[in-house]
Amino acid sequence: MGIMSLIMLIGAIIISGFFSSGLATFKLENDGALFDLYFRVGAIVGHLTHIQAHEIYINKVIEYYSLLWNYREGVYDVTFMSELPQSVVEDMFYDICREMFHKAPLFRGLDENFLRCVSKIVHVVIYNPNMIICSTGDYAMNMFYLLQGEVHVKSKLDRRMNGGILRAGCIIGEMNLFFSYPYTTTLETRTCCQLLQIEKFELFELLKKHEQILKLLRKRVDRRFVKVQNDYEIVGKEPICWVQQRVNPSLSNKSDIELDFPVVMRSGKGFNRIIYQDVLDDTEDVIIIDMPCIDKSYEKKHTQVFKTCVIPPILNTTETWVKWWNTLVLLISVYSAIMAPYCHHFVSNNELMKFLCDIDSFIEFLFCFVYMCDIVVEICYSCPVTGLYYKFKDGLSIRLSEVTFWIDVISAIPFAAFDWANIQEIKRIVNIVRCLRLWKVGRYFEYLDNIHPDSLFLFRLIRAIFSIVYGTHLASCYLYSFACSIKPGRTTVNCERVSWLRSFTEGKTGFSADARHDVLGITEGYWISFYFACATVTTTGFGDFSPQTRTEMIFLAASQLLSFCITGYYTALLTSALSCIVRPKLVFQQKLIGVRQFLTHKGLAEPLQKRIIEHYYLQDQLWSGVSLPDKVSHYMYDTPEYLHEDAIYQEVELHFDGVPIFTKLDPKILVNITKLMRRYLIPPGAIFVRKGEVRRQMYVIGRGSVAFFSDKDDIIPTKILDETGHFGLRDLLFGEPSHHDIKTMSYCLLYEVELRDLFEAMRSDIDLLAHVEVEKQKLQHGIDAMILEYSLNSKNLPNDDAKEIPSFIYFPKYPRDIMKHCTYQEYEEEIGRASCRERV
């Protein structure tokens, strides 16, 4: 008893305390990354809605971030590798590209040093499902290598149909690096795809330093081009969909057949038979194209990504019937895990429970059949590929390496069909196997955590309650087996005279202890066991039960230690979920603490300190509480160009259209400028630019309005500039001092463009730089004319009647309210604006 007490004391202090706190810290890191990502996604959706982005585009952005978390756990780029030596980083990128270099006839066998240089310009990109990689008629400027996923190839004969499917490991557009021919077909992603991308421009910049290799590559391309032309002539038709070397399946030695790289084509129908002839009509059948490695030492496991993804593909499928099938299997797993131990250890007077236990053997056969079918479904949908052959091939390679696959296999064995299964010890093992089916429920709850991070605490609370209740149910069944056993016929029980149940009946009055012992064993056995198990699991016993044998003592001590672990685990999960809710505010407050300490240490004036702190608060509201990395000025910094550049362009297109040097500007240049510019949220009543200042910056008003005062003592503004207006263009181009004090009349969102950022974005476009010079000359002539006019007027007129120099900006003729008493939230909401005006 002393040893048991010591063990329980150690378990209570160390396991429940140290284990819970350590696990909570660990889980907070992972949950924090998930919550931060989806918290930013919420801010992105709000921003896109504000700039009136299309709903389809918004859904694509949400889908992209879901895929980014599922396959990379939110990691967009391998920036963390910057801490490694350069040689290690180069080895990593070269290893990623080795399979591509081996498969591509263009790069195969080249010098390793050159290939390492090529690997430095390779980009790893991720595409959503149903996204266009290239379109018919577009000029080919890139080569792609498919690392993950599948790509639809549209039919050349009927572009509304899919003619083929490229599997992971296929090369797209290798010859495009040397021949800028238009694409002859359209490629569209079928699933989430990760690709290696080589841009033609970057490759030729590299080849300028390797002239001998450039000559060799041109010869290879010419040779391959001639070969393709000859193949077309042999076929004797207009360029067909797929051309491959004809292979005779009767030949025993296929190594004599010359192939640039092996291409395996299978029919998309039935069992995906191999196709040995060129495809002349790609509308009859969808062709599945695979490119295996000649040398298996270079081969990558393209299914590895599905083994490590956050959400199993079987739970992330778009097939409706698979979702309903998963629901059925989950219900069967819960029912089986609950009823199996109950029917084995208890006799119930309840008619329904008695009926369910009587037909348990028949139901078990049915469940085993369902689990056999589920094994097949799990294999086929463990990898989102097309074709029955590849579903089994790739799915089986994934499932065989998982322990849970063997749990499913054991669960599908109908043990009740064997005679030896009636042995009591074997029955207990079978019941344990049936309880293991509950792992599917746990996997489903993990799935909910990653799909609905905003409801993380709710799902984990349900999961914790279910786990603790089921654990108590399981413990009560085994506790009862120590005290009583079911007699043949399942009508009576045989209870031990020395057991924990006996300790409860002793000292009770009303009828004999033996009669009470038997009655409780039959009528109230489960609830008494459940009560004792609750007291054990929660360590809050009332002294009405006590273990009487060594077996019971060991079981109860182990149950208490295990309950400490389970309680600590779920306490850590719930603590982590609650911490994530306040995480954005906590990060901001920690930042403010550092700022306040710096301001106090420098002894700055109190008004200036308040102004600085207000700036941080406003910037936090501008970005909706999202903490962005350094040197990042947009929410969607970790999305591909085809997503975040569209969002940037939609945001600033209207605002920059009125600026003379940006009118009808190439969208690519405008996006580059926007990436470099800064965004500020300024409170009302703040003097943003003072008269006489030279900033070499231009400002565009995104929201709000600003007023221009000729003198700092003026009360009524000379001019007012509204949303989409701009000022500071002459300051940007010529360094001309400001002629006014510029003061905000409301909360203003300002876009700031600096001179160095402007020329940094335009340095690659010579024509645009020439256009800017022309605009500068026009402005210069206007300035010279105004200076001359001002000089003539100032000599003939009194100083107070001097003619004012006009500006190159548009000023509205109507006044605006100075809403300096409003909060930012009031200003953003229309109702708030009205209430604020009334208060002013």
Side-chain angles (χ1 to χ4, degrees):
M1 295 295 290
I3 296 176
M4 291 296 176
S5 300
L6 181 62
I7 291 175
M8 287 188 289
L9 183 62
I10 294 174
I13 297 175
I14 296 180
I15 297 180
S16 184
F18 178 77
F19 174 77
S20 298
S21 60
L23 186 60
T25 304
F26 172 78
K27 287 296 297 180
L28 184 58
E29 292 299 321
N30 185 60
D31 293 340
L34 171 63
F35 189 85
D36 289 348
L37 180 68
Y38 279 89
F39 181 77
R40 180 156 57 91
V41 170
I44 291 173
V45 171
H47 172 69
L48 295 177
T49 304
H50 178 77
I51 64 175
Q52 299 180 356
H54 198 280
E55 185 179 357
I56 296 177
Y57 177 78
I58 296 176
N59 292 334
K60 282 296 179 183
V61 172
I62 297 173
E63 182 184 45
Y64 168 80
Y65 278 105
S66 300
L67 296 172
L68 186 67
W69 175 256
N70 189 28
Y71 292 110
R72 298 187 185 178
E73 296 194 41
V75 177
Y76 170 70
D77 199 1
V78 286
T79 52
F80 54 86
M81 302 299 292
S82 59
E83 301 179 2
L84 294 176
Q86 185 64 26
S87 59
V88 178
V89 177
E90 292 177 0
D91 289 342
M92 180 191 70
F93 283 105
Y94 176 69
D95 186 75
I96 293 174
C97 301
R98 282 180 74 237
E99 185 184 35
M100 178 185 67
F101 292 149
H102 173 69
K103 285 185 178 181
L106 188 66
F107 298 109
R108 187 185 304 146
L110 294 182
D111 181 62
E112 182 177 328
N113 292 328
F114 172 73
L115 295 179
R116 286 180 176 272
C117 294
V118 175
S119 65
K120 296 178 183 179
I121 64 172
V122 172
H123 306 282
V124 182
V125 294
I126 183 171
Y127 276 79
N128 293 24
N130 306 315
M131 297 292 289
I132 301 296
I133 297 178
C134 59
S135 299
T136 304
D138 292 346
Y139 277 93
M141 301 296 290
N142 298 293
M143 168 187 165
F144 296 96
Y145 182 74
L146 192 56
L147 286 177
Q148 168 204 334
E150 291 184 344
V151 173
H152 276 309
V153 183
K154 296 297 181 180
S155 169
K156 290 184 180 179
L157 303 180
D158 187 354
R159 295 177 182 176
R160 296 171 299 176
M161 300 178 60
N162 295 321
I165 293 177
L166 300 179
R167 283 174 46 80
C170 288
I171 301 171
I172 303 171
E174 180 189 19
M175 296 180 64
N176 297 338
L177 296 176
F178 283 84
F179 293 100
S180 295
Y181 291 116
Y183 287 110
T184 58
T185 187
T186 299
L187 300 182
E188 180 182 340
T189 57
R190 192 189 75 84
T191 63
C192 172
C193 293
Q194 298 192 60
L195 304 101
L196 299 179
Q197 178 183 2
I198 300 178
E199 296 183 2
K200 179 178 180 178
F201 174 78
E202 294 182 346
L203 178 63
F204 273 86
E205 286 293 320
L206 175 63
L207 288 173
K208 289 179 181 179
K209 305 175 183 177
H210 301 82
E211 294 182 0
Q212 295 299 323
I213 294 180
L214 176 60
K215 294 179 181 179
L216 176 61
L217 293 180
R218 289 192 182 279
K219 290 181 180 179
R220 288 187 175 185
V221 171
D222 292 339
R223 191 185 312 118
R224 176 157 179 77
F225 184 77
V226 172
K227 180 181 181 300
V228 172
Q229 285 292 100
N230 293 335
D231 287 340
Y232 283 153
E233 292 176 0
I234 293 173
V235 172
K237 284 201 172 190
E238 194 70 19
I240 57 176
C241 297
W242 320 111
V243 177
Q244 71 169 6
Q245 191 73 27
R246 287 179 175 77
V247 179
N248 188 348
S250 62
L251 294 177
S252 58
N253 185 9
K254 297 184 181 180
S255 61
D256 297 335
I257 302 175
E258 181 182 358
L259 290 173
D260 287 338
F261 49 87
V263 177
V264 177
M265 298 195 302
R266 292 180 177 271
S267 169
K269 299 177 181 178
F271 292 97
N272 313 127
R273 61 179 178 82
I274 296 180
I275 299 174
Y276 293 100
Q277 296 297 323
D278 295 331
V279 178
L280 304 181
D281 188 353
D282 57 0
T283 61
E284 297 177 351
D285 186 14
V286 176
I287 308 302
I288 304 174
I289 303 172
D290 193 13
M291 296 182 184
C293 279
I294 299 174
D295 187 348
K296 298 301 180 183
S297 63
Y298 290 92
E299 191 171 30
K300 297 282 187 181
K301 293 182 179 179
H302 296 289
T303 58
Q304 181 66 31
V305 66
F306 302 110
K307 296 180 183 179
T308 57
C309 60
V310 175
I311 305 171
I314 184 68
L315 295 178
N316 203 23
T317 180
T318 57
E319 297 283 348
T320 305
W321 76 269
V322 177
K323 295 180 180 179
W324 284 107
W325 175 264
N326 288 332
T327 304
L328 174 64
V329 173
L330 289 176
L331 294 176
I332 289 176
S333 300
V334 172
Y335 175 86
S336 181
I338 292 175
M339 295 303 298
Y342 179 86
C343 293
H344 181 71
H345 296 104
F346 291 100
V347 174
S348 176
N349 289 337
N350 185 280
E351 294 297 329
L352 176 61
M353 299 302 295
K354 187 176 181 180
F355 172 76
L356 292 177
C357 290
D358 289 340
I359 64 172
D360 182 65
S361 298
F362 172 76
I363 292 178
E364 183 58 21
F365 279 113
L366 183 61
F367 287 174
C368 289
F369 174 76
V370 172
Y371 265 81
M372 289 179 185
C373 297
D374 186 60
I375 291 174
V376 178
V377 175
E378 288 269 1
I379 291 174
C380 291
Y381 287 89
S382 292
C383 187
V385 296
T386 303
L388 194 60
Y389 170 81
Y390 289 112
K391 283 182 179 291
F392 270 94
K393 177 177 175 291
D394 294 344
L396 199 59
S397 66
I398 293 175
R399 293 291 288 146
L400 285 176
S401 60
E402 299 176 353
V403 178
T404 53
F405 173 75
W406 302 105
I407 295 177
D408 289 342
V409 171
I410 296 174
S411 301
I413 299 175
F415 290 101
F418 303 101
D419 294 336
W420 46 265
N422 294 323
I423 303 174
Q424 192 70 14
E425 288 73 14
I426 300 298
K427 280 187 175 182
R428 290 186 178 182
I429 296 175
V430 172
N431 285 327
I432 293 175
V433 171
R434 293 176 65 180
C435 294
L436 290 178
R437 295 174 180 174
L438 211 60
W439 77 268
K440 289 182 178 291
V441 180
R443 181 182 66 170
Y444 181 73
F445 276 114
E446 289 285 346
Y447 159 76
L448 292 178
D449 281 1
N450 290 283
I451 290 296
H452 304 286
D454 51 338
S455 303
L456 192 65
F457 180 79
L458 175 62
F459 289 130
R460 288 188 174 177
L461 182 62
I462 296 173
R463 181 169 146 199
I465 293 174
F466 177 81
S467 299
I468 293 174
V469 171
Y470 179 77
T472 305
H473 165 75
L474 194 63
S476 65
C477 293
Y478 282 95
L479 270 175
Y480 187 77
S481 67
F482 296 141
C484 302
S485 59
I486 301 177
K487 292 183 178 180
R490 299 186 57 83
T491 56
T492 58
V493 295
N494 182 24
C495 296
E496 301 293 337
R497 298 305 173 186
V498 178
S499 66
W500 62 268
L501 191 58
R502 182 80 176 187
S503 67
F504 178 72
T505 59
E506 289 180 351
K508 302 294 187 300
T509 61
F511 50 88
S512 63
D514 292 340
R516 181 181 292 106
H517 187 269
D518 292 334
V519 170
L520 292 176
I522 297 175
T523 59
E524 302 293 339
Y526 175 76
W527 295 112
I528 292 176
S529 298
F530 191 84
Y531 169 75
F532 187 27
C534 286
T536 302
V537 168
T538 59
T539 66
T540 56
F542 297 99
D544 45 0
F545 292 96
S546 62
Q548 302 297 314
T549 64
R550 181 177 297 178
T551 303
E552 293 175 353
M553 292 179 184
I554 294 174
F555 179 80
L556 291 175
S559 298
Q560 286 181 326
L561 293 178
L562 184 61
S563 68
F564 279 134
C565 294
I566 295 175
T567 304
Y569 174 73
Y570 284 108
T571 301
L573 291 185
L574 295 176
T575 303
S576 175
L578 287 175
S579 300
C580 287
I581 298 176
V582 298
R583 183 182 177 92
K585 294 182 179 180
L586 182 62
V587 172
F588 176 66
Q589 291 299 327
Q590 289 175 341
K591 183 178 181 179
L592 275 187
I593 290 174
V595 173
R596 292 180 188 276
Q597 289 178 345
F598 173 82
L599 298 179
T600 303
H601 177 72
K602 294 299 181 181
L604 299 180
E606 188 68 23
L608 181 58
Q609 290 191 30
K610 290 182 179 179
R611 181 180 175 185
I612 294 174
I613 296 298
E614 184 183 25
H615 166 77
Y616 279 98
Y617 273 111
L618 290 176
Q619 292 301 110
D620 182 68
Q621 294 181 42
L622 173 62
W623 297 106
S624 303
V626 176
S627 180
L628 298 177
D630 294 337
K631 299 180 180 180
V632 170
S633 60
H634 199 268
Y635 289 113
M636 299 168 59
Y637 62 89
D638 52 355
T639 57
E641 290 185 355
Y642 68 86
L643 283 180
H644 73 255
E645 290 189 355
D646 285 351
I648 291 174
Y649 186 73
Q650 290 182 66
E651 179 185 2
V652 301
E653 176 188 12
L654 179 63
H655 296 84
F656 280 74
D657 189 55
V659 183
I661 62 174
F662 296 144
T663 302
K664 297 182 180 180
L665 187 65
D666 181 7
K668 188 70 176 179
I669 302 297
L670 183 58
V671 167
N672 292 337
I673 296 174
T674 308
K675 288 179 180 179
L676 297 173
M677 75 180 186
R678 296 181 180 181
R679 298 165 176 81
Y680 294 108
L681 185 60
I682 311 298
I687 299 178
F688 186 68
V689 178
R690 296 185 182 275
K691 188 175 181 178
E693 284 186 335
V694 179
R695 293 199 175 189
R696 304 311 300 268
Q697 295 163 343
M698 185 197 74
Y699 298 93
V700 179
I701 302 176
R703 291 198 299 268
S705 58
V706 297
F708 290 72
F709 296 88
S710 299
D711 191 85
K712 63 179 180 179
D713 296 327
D714 290 348
I715 300 177
I716 301 176
T718 305
K719 307 172 185 71
I720 298 174
L721 191 60
D722 273 342
E723 185 174 337
T724 72
H726 67 277
F727 58 92
L729 180 59
R730 298 201 304 248
D731 191 359
L732 176 71
L733 298 178
F734 302 106
E736 180 181 336
S738 173
H739 299 284
H740 303 85
D741 284 337
I742 304 177
K743 186 177 182 180
T744 57
M745 298 187 65
S746 65
Y747 287 97
C748 290
L749 172 61
L750 299 180
Y751 300 112
E752 177 189 85
V753 179
E754 292 189 1
L755 182 64
R756 60 181 178 181
D757 294 338
L758 177 65
F759 284 98
E760 173 70 21
M762 298 190 303
R763 64 179 181 178
S764 60
D765 194 326
I766 300 176
D767 294 336
L768 181 59
L769 291 175
H771 171 69
V772 172
E773 290 298 326
V774 171
E775 291 294 332
K776 287 178 64 176
Q777 291 297 326
K778 291 180 181 178
L779 290 176
Q780 187 64 54
H781 292 322
I783 292 173
D784 293 340
M786 285 189 295
I787 291 175
L788 179 60
E789 182 179 3
Y790 179 78
S791 177
L792 294 174
N793 291 332
S794 61
K795 293 178 180 178
N796 301 325
L797 298 175
N799 291 334
D800 55 348
D801 294 331
K803 188 172 182 179
E804 185 180 353
I805 299 176
S807 175
F808 286 98
I809 56 180
Y810 168 73
F811 299 106
K813 301 300 182 182
Y814 51 91
R816 287 287 183 272
D817 297 335
I818 302 179
M819 296 183 290
K820 58 185 178 181
H821 300 285
C822 300
T823 64
Y824 180 65
Q825 288 79 6
E826 289 175 334
Y827 178 73
E828 285 292 296
E829 299 175 6
E830 192 66 29
I831 298 178
R833 295 190 185 192
S835 63
C836 184
R837 290 193 186 98
E838 292 175 2
R839 188 167 68 250
V840 173

